[in-house]
Amino acid sequence: MSKKNKLFQKEFSLKFPRSAIGRKTIVLLTGFILLLTCTITGCGSSNQQQSISRENPAQEEPAQEAQSQSVPEQPDMEQPSQEEANQSQFSPILQPDPKKMESEAETAAPSPDVSSSSPSYFGTWQITSSTFGAYSAMSEEDCSALVGTRFEYFKDYAIYDDKHRLDSPQYCESTQTADDFSSIYQGTSLETLGISKDSIQVVAIENASGIGDTFYIKDENTLIIPWDGVFFEVQRISSDS
């Protein structure tokens, strides 16, 4: 019996460590498998999430690009650029030179000549001689008495016969042919007055009455004033008032 017990104990001692070792190994293997499974599962989920997160930006980028294209950027027109601000800050303000502007204006548009723009008959005149027409109501003594009589014709006033002054005179200009002149003065021609032209310019002053209210322009410095059948030749004294 004792021999059997010893054999049993020997066998139990030999079998027990083996079973213990096998259980530990199974436990370790099971834990390792679980750990490996969890690790694989976690990596897969993380990889899947990473793949989804990588796919989502690719899907969102076209939408962002379309949104950026649908709303065009509006340039700020009110704010000047930095270069312009620096130039305006340091560049001096150029002011026009009045003398230079005046000289340019004179060059572009020269000042009008008063003498050329005003009528040629404006000025101061004086009777120097007379010529009788075909019919006259004056004597030589009357004509000689009028020699030296002054006349002034200007824009603002007119003085004629040394006695009559007319403010703001209205000068009416017209042209008469040589035939009309001879018809009006009953045979007195322009040639009689030393005028070799087919026509002559005549000026009549409205609201004026007396010697000098009508005159003919013989040339720039000579007028012819008709009065009572006598033609008085009038020479220019000056052009100033």
Side-chain angles (χ1 to χ4, degrees), residues 221-236:
N221 296 313
T222 308
L223 302 179
I224 301 295
I225 295 178
W227 187 252
D228 286 345
V230 179
F231 298 90
F232 296 93
E233 188 170 284
V234 184
Q235 296 293 327
R236 182 190 298 274

Side-chain angles (χ1 to χ4, degrees), residues 3-163:
K3 291 180 180 180
K4 290 180 180 180
N5 290 333
K6 289 180 180 179
L7 292 171
F8 178 75
Q9 291 177 356
K10 187 175 181 181
E11 290 177 357
F12 181 77
S13 62
L14 292 171
K15 291 178 180 181
F16 181 74
R18 292 178 181 177
S19 62
I21 292 169
R23 287 177 182 176
K24 290 180 179 181
T25 304
I26 292 169
V27 171
L28 292 174
L29 290 173
T30 303
F32 178 75
I33 291 170
L34 292 173
L35 179 63
L36 182 61
T37 303
C38 293
T39 303
I40 294 172
T41 304
C43 294
S45 61
S46 63
N47 291 331
Q48 185 177 2
Q49 292 177 356
Q50 290 178 0
S51 63
I52 292 171
S53 62
R54 290 177 181 177
E55 290 176 357
N56 288 335
Q59 295 176 357
E60 293 176 357
E61 286 179 358
Q64 293 179 357
E65 291 179 356
Q67 184 176 2
S68 62
Q69 292 178 358
S70 62
V71 181
E73 296 182 357
Q74 296 181 358
D76 189 0
M77 301 298 294
E78 296 180 357
Q79 297 180 356
S81 61
Q82 188 66 26
E83 296 180 356
E84 293 179 353
N86 294 332
Q87 291 179 359
S88 63
Q89 183 177 1
F90 295 102
S91 61
I93 299 174
L94 299 177
Q95 297 181 354
D97 188 359
K99 295 182 179 179
K100 185 176 180 181
M101 293 178 64
E102 291 178 359
S103 61
E104 290 179 355
E106 290 177 357
T107 303
S111 58
D113 187 0
V114 177
S115 61
S116 61
S117 61
S118 300
S120 61
Y121 51 83
F122 278 5
T124 303
W125 307 82
Q126 186 176 27
I127 294 177
T128 57
S129 62
S130 61
T131 301
F132 285 90
Y135 301 94
S136 176
M138 297 182 67
S139 62
E140 294 183 358
E141 289 79 7
D142 295 334
C143 294
S144 300
L146 291 176
V147 173
T149 303
R150 294 166 64 94
F151 302 88
E152 296 183 16
Y153 301 116
F154 294 99
K155 179 180 180 181
D156 298 329
Y157 69 95
I159 296 178
Y160 54 97
D161 197 11
D162 277 345
K163 299 176 182 179

